[in-house]
C-alpha cells in the first residue's frame, strides 16, 4: 500500500515564524499535492508538483511556498505564519503518467498559529 | 466547473448494504467520477472511480447511470469502520483542473450497531 507520511500530526507556532511542513511518500509517485481543510470550505489546493523542482500554484498559494528537491519529499513553507493559516494541512501523492489518477493522502498536520 | 450534489447525511444499520447517491447533471464526456471518504481525524481515502461502466473493487461498487448524470456508491455490508464522510468528485481526464480534486461537503454516513 502507498504510504504518505506527514512529519507532525499537531504543530503550534507563533505569528511571524517561518514554518516547514514535510511530506514523504514511498511509492515513487511523480505528483505531490498540498491541501488545506477548513470547516465549511472543504479541501483547497495550495500547490502541487508534477516532478522534482517543478511546482504549480493551486487555488490559494498566497502566503505559502513549496520545495521539491527529491522525488519522494514535498515541503510546504509558511514564509511568515499568520493566524488565518491555522488549519488542517493534508499532503497527497499520485502517479504521474496520467493526470486522472487516485490521490493518496497522509493523515494531516493540524497547525495552530498563535 | 462540473458540480456534484449529495445528501448531507445518511444512516445505515451495521451489516446492511448502503447506497450513497450523487447527482452530477453537468458532467462532461471526459470527467471521471471519483469517490473518496474521510474517517474522523484522518486524511481522505480513495474508494473507487469510473468513467462509464460500473466498477467493483474490494472496498465498494460504483454504479453509473447510462446518461452519466448520476452515480451510486454501494457498500455491500456496512461496518462501524465505514462511518465517514463520503465525497463524490468529478475530475477531468486532462487539461485545467485535471490534477486537483475539488471536494464538496459530502455525505456523512452513520452506521448503527
Amino acid at each position: 500500500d502507498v504510504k504518505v507520511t506527514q512529519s507532525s500530526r499537531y504543530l503550534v507556532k507563533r505569528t511571524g515564524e517561518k514554518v516547514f511542513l514535510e511530506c514523504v511518500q514511498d511509492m515513487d509517485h511523480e505528483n505531490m499535492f498540498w491541501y488545506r481543510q477548513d470547516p465549511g470550505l472543504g479541501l483547497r489546493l495550495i500547490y502541487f508538483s508534477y516532478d522534482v523542482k517543478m511546482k504549480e500554484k493551486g487555488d490559494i498559494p498566497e502566503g505559502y511556498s513549496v520545495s521539491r528537491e527529491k522525488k519522494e519529499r514535498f515541503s510546504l513553507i509558511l514564509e511568515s505564519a499568520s493566524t488565518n493559516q491555522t488549519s488542517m494541512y493534508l499532503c497527497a501523492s499520485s502517479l504521474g503518467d496520467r493526470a486522472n489518477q487516485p490521490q493518496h493522502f497522509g493523515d494531516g498536520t493540524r497547525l495552530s498559529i498563535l | 466547473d462540473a458540480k456534484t450534489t449529495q445528501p448531507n447525511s445518511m444512516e445505515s444499520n451495521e451489516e446492511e448494504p448502503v447506497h450513497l447517491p450523487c447527482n452530477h447533471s453537468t458532467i462532461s464526456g471526459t470527467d471521471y467520477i471519483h469517490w473518496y471518504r474521510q474517517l474522523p481525524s484522518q486524511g481522505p481515502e480513495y474508494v473507487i472511480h469510473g468513467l462509464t461502466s460500473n466498477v467493483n473493487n474490494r472496498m465498494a461498487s460504483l454504479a453509473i447511470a447510462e446518461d452519466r448524470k448520476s452515480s451510486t456508491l454501494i457498500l455491500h455490508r456496512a461496518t462501524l469502520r465505514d462511518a465517514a464522510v463520503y465525497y463524490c468528485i468529478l475530475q477531468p481526464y486532462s487539461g485545467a483542473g485535471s490534477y486537483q480534486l475539488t471536494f464538496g461537503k459530502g455525505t456523512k454516513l452513520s452506521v448503527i450497531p
Side-chain angles (χ1 to χ4, degrees), chain B residues 3-81:
Chain B
K3 296 267 192 281
T4 62
T5 304
Q6 299 177 252
N8 290 333
S9 62
M10 291 182 65
E11 274 188 358
S12 172
N13 292 321
E14 196 176 8
E15 299 191 1
E16 290 188 356
V18 183
H19 291 234
L20 295 162
C22 181
N23 288 320
H24 29 78
S25 58
T26 60
I27 191 171
S28 75
T30 57
D31 285 341
Y32 275 74
I33 302 159
H34 286 251
W35 284 82
Y36 284 75
R37 72 181 185 181
Q38 189 170 18
L39 280 66
S41 301
Q42 294 188 22
E45 176 185 27
Y46 166 76
V47 178
I48 200 166
H49 78 287
L51 183 63
T52 56
S53 303
N54 295 343
V55 184
N56 299 296
N57 66 20
R58 63 177 177 83
M59 289 181 69
S61 296
L62 176 59
I64 301 173
E66 198 169 331
D67 64 6
R68 299 207 331 122
K69 294 188 176 188
S70 65
S71 60
T72 303
L73 179 71
I74 303 163
L75 307 179
H76 296 286
R77 285 179 74 236
T79 69
L80 296 178
R81 197 196 171 275

Side-chain angles (χ1 to χ4, degrees), chain A residues 9 35 37 59 98 100 103, chain B residues 32 34 36 41 93 99:
Chain A
R9 288 299 303 270
Y35 294 87
Q37 185 172 30
D59 295 326
R98 286 178 295 164
N100 190 20
Q103 293 186 17
Chain B
Y32 275 74
H34 286 251
Y36 284 75
S41 301
Y93 180 77
Y99 283 95

Side-chain angles (χ1 to χ4, degrees), chain A residues 47-84:
Chain A
Y47 269 98
F48 73 93
S49 168
Y50 52 88
D51 202 350
V52 175
K53 296 189 187 296
M54 306 303 291
K55 63 184 179 185
E56 292 283 344
K57 292 180 180 179
D59 295 326
I60 50 164
E62 296 78 21
Y64 303 95
S65 62
V66 289
S67 173
R68 184 115 181 255
E69 296 296 319
K70 293 185 178 181
K71 191 175 186 180
E72 68 272 16
R73 187 178 297 271
F74 192 35
S75 303
L76 179 70
I77 303 150
L78 285 65
E79 297 292 341
S80 178
S82 64
T83 54
N84 63 11

